[in-house]
Amino acid sequence: PGLANAGAERALGGVCVGLGVLLALPIPVFSLAPAAALTAIALGLLLRDGIAVLVGLALGAASCAALLALGAIVIGALNAAG
């Protein structure tokens, strides 16, 4: 329960705000990964299950990495075209 205790809630709240910003981006189909991460973190906190919180954090990190990779691809394509 180290990730699901009261002390970790502030840090997890910041992570959830960041994932919420990613969720609001108008990229088709992309919002599924941050939504799944938020759901796993929320369920982990509700059930005091550190493993679920860890899964949510991993999904959140993967969605951030996917967004960065997508941005790099788009910027590379725009640079090559222009």
Side-chain angles (χ1 to χ4, degrees):
L3 290 175
N5 64 11
E9 286 184 8
R10 280 188 192 257
L12 290 172
V15 170
C16 289
V17 167
L19 288 171
V21 170
L22 289 181
L23 190 61
L25 293 176
I27 302 172
V29 186
F30 179 73
S31 62
L32 181 65
L38 283 170
T39 302
I41 291 171
L43 285 175
L45 286 173
L46 283 172
L47 299 174
R48 299 288 181 207
D49 183 10
I51 300 296
V53 172
L54 188 63
V55 167
L57 290 173
L59 283 171
S63 65
C64 287
L67 179 66
L68 289 175
L70 180 65
I73 290 170
V74 168
I75 288 173
L78 289 175
N79 286 337

